């Protein structure tokens, strides 16, 4: 078994109102110096050893992310 | 006219969609998300709600439901399909319509009666309307912001594929004030506002939405 991380982020040109709301809250909470926040999704998959990279990319592209509005990255990490 | 109305776990507006079909003298045929056939219907409505709890993304899981594989195949062969609200999101996730629906730009769930302009009255679902007619129907969604890349927007605008546009202030940050679009053939239409809630002045703001279901009647009779 391996752990695979898939990070999904809104594309840069897509408005991210949630990230903006977080960014706007930070100064109110006394945290200065944060100029921008973008909010995405982080998936952790426990993956059998025979699942290849092409399959993982297909999972990310067709299901975990919507490529119309989101970018995705697949990483294998040490469990 | 037999019109299938799909129910997914979490669908809310299937009953009103069925009622709208009946108001247009159609027979509403309930379809379940796990069904593998469309029971011989002439058209399908994918209604609003929160299919599968909106988990992952709105419509992302519903798109893979068994009944949707049948809908996708039938739509590609020309069957009229209407996606309302969550149904629009599902059709976008299923790539029957381009673009995507994202969180409203001001983050608030918007629930109000909304004026729309009819921009295309040649689709299977809008032939009863006058071009540029303004209709008033409920809008109730948190993720109704229509987004697409510039090429897709140009394709939609150049080919008259914007079906409805919001009139007045943009309620959700949709690009080009887009409230609803169609596919290239005009048989698949998706919109965020709810025509099925505006079919009788007794229970809705107007009966302006009934025109979509009467348009379908004309389409099916002609076919």
């Amino acid at each position: 078994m391996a752990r695979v991380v898939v990070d999904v982020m809104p594309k840069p040109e897509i408005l991210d109102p949630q990230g903006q709301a977080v960014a706007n809250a930070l100064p109110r909470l006394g945290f200065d110096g944060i100029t921008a926040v973008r909010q995405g999704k982080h998936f952790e998959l426990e993956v059998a050893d025979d699942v290849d990279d092409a399959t993982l990319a297909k999972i990310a592209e067709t299901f975990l992310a919507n490529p119309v509005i989101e970018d995705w990255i697949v990483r294998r990490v040490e469990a | 006219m037999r019109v299938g109305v799909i129910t997914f776990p979490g669908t809310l507006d299937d009953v009103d969609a069925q009622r709208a079909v009946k108001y247009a003298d159609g027979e509403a045929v309930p379809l379940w998300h796990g069904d593998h056939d469309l029971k011989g219907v002439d058209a399908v409505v994918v209604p609003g709600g929160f299919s599968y709890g909106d988990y992952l993304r709105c419509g992302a899981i519903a798109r893979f439901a068994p009944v949707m594989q049948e809908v996708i195949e039938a739509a590609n062969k020309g069957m009229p399909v209407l996606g309302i609200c969550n149904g629009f999101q599902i059709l976008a996730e299923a790539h029957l319509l381009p673009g995507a629906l994202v969180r409203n730009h001001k983050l608030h769930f918007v629930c109000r009666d909304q004026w729309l302009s009819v921009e295309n009255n040649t689709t299977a679902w809008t032939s009863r309307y006058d071009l540029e007619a303004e209709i008033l129907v409920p809008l109730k969604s948190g993720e109704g912001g229509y987004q697409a890349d510039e090429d897709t927007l140009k394709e939609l605008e150049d080919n008259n594929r914007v079906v409805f546009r919001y009139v007045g202030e943009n309620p959700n940050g949709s690009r080009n004030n887009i409230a609803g679009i169609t596919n290239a053939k005009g048989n698949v239409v998706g919109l965020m506002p709810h025509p099925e809630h505006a079919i009788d002045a007794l229970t809705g703001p107007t009966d302006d939405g009934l025109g979509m279901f009467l348009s379908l009647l004309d389409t099916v009779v002609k076919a």
Side-chain angles (χ1 to χ4, degrees):
Chain A
M1 297 289 285
R3 174 164 292 179
V4 170
V5 165
V6 181
D7 286 314
V8 175
M9 292 298 293
K11 284 179 185 282
E13 66 271 25
I14 298 286
L15 181 70
D16 174 22
Q18 296 179 98
Q20 287 180 352
V22 173
N24 292 339
L26 289 170
R28 289 203 302 275
L29 299 174
F31 299 107
D32 294 320
I34 314 295
T35 55
V37 176
R38 292 187 70 76
Q39 179 179 323
K41 299 190 185 99
H42 174 95
F43 299 88
E44 294 179 348
L45 287 64
E46 300 300 329
V47 175
D49 293 333
D50 59 349
V51 177
D52 62 15
D53 288 351
T55 302
L56 292 170
K58 193 174 178 194
I59 290 168
E61 180 161 24
T62 61
F63 189 44
L64 299 182
N66 178 348
V68 175
I69 50 171
E70 294 167 326
D71 294 323
W72 50 270
I73 294 174
V74 175
R75 286 181 287 139
R76 289 181 183 267
V77 297
E78 297 303 316
Chain B
M1 172 173 79
R2 301 179 76 238
V3 182
V5 178
I6 300 176
T7 302
F8 300 95
T11 295
L12 296 178
D13 299 324
D14 43 347
V15 174
D16 268 22
Q18 292 172 15
R19 176 170 170 262
V21 168
K22 290 172 199 157
Y23 265 60
D25 285 331
E27 179 192 348
V29 179
L31 299 174
W32 182 238
H33 67 115
D35 285 350
H36 287 272
D37 80 280
L38 297 180
K39 302 183 180 175
V41 296
D42 302 302
V44 169
V45 177
V46 188
F50 298 86
S51 58
Y52 302 93
D54 274 354
Y55 293 169
L56 185 57
R57 287 181 311 280
C58 304
I61 298 175
R63 165 215 168 170
F64 292 103
V67 75
M68 281 306 299
Q69 308 322 302
E70 306 299 323
V71 170
I72 292 166
E73 191 181 332
N76 286 330
K77 289 179 185 164
M79 176 184 278
V81 175
L82 175 66
I84 303 167
C85 194
N86 188 221
F88 184 14
Q89 295 164 337
I90 294 167
L91 297 185
E93 284 281 345
H95 307 304
L96 286 174
L97 294 170
L101 284 308
V102 305
R103 196 74 185 268
N104 292 351
H105 64 329
K106 291 180 184 168
L107 291 172
H108 294 291
F109 190 97
V110 171
C111 183
R112 70 185 192 207
D113 297 334
Q114 173 70 45
W115 285 101
L116 306 175
S117 160
V118 178
E119 305 278 305
N120 176 342
N121 64 352
T122 66
T123 78
W125 297 89
T126 56
S127 57
R128 286 274 185 126
Y129 295 105
D130 291 332
L131 194 60
E132 297 181 2
E134 295 195 354
I135 66 173
L136 183 66
V137 298
L139 174 69
K140 46 164 194 163
S141 46
E143 311 212 355
Y146 182 76
Q147 294 287 332
D149 61 33
E150 294 299 334
D151 289 345
T152 303
L153 286 173
K154 186 170 188 318
E155 157 89 17
L156 291 174
E157 296 288 354
D158 289 353
N159 294 289
N160 197 27
R161 287 174 53 190
V162 177
V163 179
F164 297 105
R165 242 184 268 274
Y166 298 113
V167 173
E169 188 191 355
N170 188 329
N172 50 27
S174 291
R175 299 292 302 275
N176 297 17
N177 290 312
I178 288 172
I181 58 173
T182 186
N183 64 344
K185 285 188 207 161
N187 61 306
V188 180
V189 169
L191 77 168
M192 286 312 297
H194 287 265
E196 84 284 17
H197 292 330
I199 58 163
D200 184 333
L202 181 67
T203 51
T206 62
D207 62 0
D208 291 352
L210 188 59
M212 294 198 74
F213 300 91
L214 294 171
S215 299
L216 175 69
L217 180 64
D218 293 348
T219 301
V220 170
V221 167
K222 268 186 236 152

